[in-house]
Amino acid sequence: MTTTPTSPHSTATVTDHDDPARWASPSRNPVPPASPAPNAGSYNPAATTAGGMAGELARLEAQAALSFDEELSLLRELGLTAPDGPLVEVGAGSGAITRRLRRAMPDLSLVAVDIDPDLLAHAEGTGAELIVADAADLPLETASAGYVLLRYVLQHLPDPAPALAEARRILRPGGRVLVTEVDASCWGLAEPAYPELAGIHAKLAATQQAAGGDRTIGRRLTRLLRDTGFTEVALRPFATTNDTRPTDDFAPHLGPGRLQPLLAAGVLSLREFALAADRWNRFRADPNAWVMLLGFTAAGTAPDAPPGGRHTTEGIQ
């Protein structure tokens, strides 16, 4: 069982009747490593999970469905209201969260930004303005947004400071930045636990780190916001458990789909992959198994004087 939830950014599982070695063999078309989108940091949607881009789209949708209610409750608690928009969702990806925000808050003006045009194309129909752009170079006017949401984005950036500086620049005085992230050292709890998978978890985190990511960024969120000049900084945890959701709904985080690209790249051995698949199958078949996943949302307020920056002709519509 893998126990390191990620983002923006598969619901694929190995059933009790599958042979993990066969499922991962070349005849089943394992996903080869693909080149990440320019400046996308450690996030590569085509090589994040089993099934390539199609698998990643399914994973993003399942991930959003799993925890959106808890996340939305925190966003409201931290000040999100429709009249104070627009909300600029940076790293919106396929629009899985954008669609849910539209349904939950139909009067909230939304702008969805992502560096990957192919991924962002799947956000069509969300009712949001779609903009292809780098998080560190947004073609939006200074002091034009009420909120900026960065959900599972900063963990993929070698240096999150430029993205946070851009968020501050485009926020109106009094606007709020909302950052949702994880920390691999306190990802949650599971019972039964499988200590023999610790090495596999470490390889997953090390692979992201080698690509410029940081799976322990949750512990630094408040300091990052303060260093960028945000005030009224707050941090809130949220938890999702299988007390209220089927255990299989946690497959995007705990299932072996996340590991297949590592197997194809030679980072994991077939034996390690088969072990992880077996432990996931044991867990999901155990009627007494329990899991709690933890996430963190940090918020900060833009000060009265926004930093200097360009004004563009492409404002928020």
Side-chain angles (χ1 to χ4, degrees), residues 31 53 145 149 165 178 190 196 243 260 263 268-269 302:
V31 182
M53 178 65 84
L149 174 64
L178 303 158
E196 62 268 30
D243 290 318
Q260 189 180 2
L263 175 68
L268 287 184
S269 69

Side-chain angles (χ1 to χ4, degrees), residues 93-95 99 112 117 119-130:
S94 63
R99 277 185 287 276
L119 195 58
L120 189 62
H122 294 277
E124 290 285 357
T126 60
E129 179 184 359
L130 306 184

Side-chain angles (χ1 to χ4, degrees), residues 11 56-66 94-97 99-100 103 252:
T11 55
E56 177 63 354
L57 292 173
R59 187 187 74 87
L60 292 173
E61 193 65 26
Q63 182 199 66
L66 183 67
S94 63
I97 289 296
R99 277 185 287 276
R100 286 167 173 80
R103 290 195 294 267

Side-chain angles (χ1 to χ4, degrees), residues 166-259:
E166 271 293 83
R168 180 184 167 187
R169 182 187 66 80
I170 69 170
L171 281 168
R172 297 191 298 263
R176 297 281 274 173
V177 64
L178 303 158
V179 183
T180 296
E181 273 300 348
V182 297
D183 193 299
S185 68
C186 48
W187 66 271
L189 296 169
E191 189 177 56
Y194 302 107
E196 62 268 30
L197 298 183
I200 295 174
H201 304 163
K203 286 185 178 181
L204 186 63
T207 299
Q208 184 169 338
Q209 183 177 13
D214 180 6
R215 297 197 57 73
T216 63
I217 198 167
R219 69 191 65 180
R220 297 194 292 122
L221 292 180
T222 55
R223 286 171 287 170
L224 286 168
L225 294 189
R226 291 191 183 99
D227 289 347
T228 311
F230 289 102
T231 63
E232 299 178 302
V233 174
L235 180 71
R236 299 286 187 274
F238 62 92
T240 310
T241 78
N242 64 341
D243 290 318
T244 56
R245 292 170 174 82
T247 299
D248 278 349
D249 285 359
F250 290 79
H253 300 296
L254 308 182
R258 287 293 316 287
L259 300 177

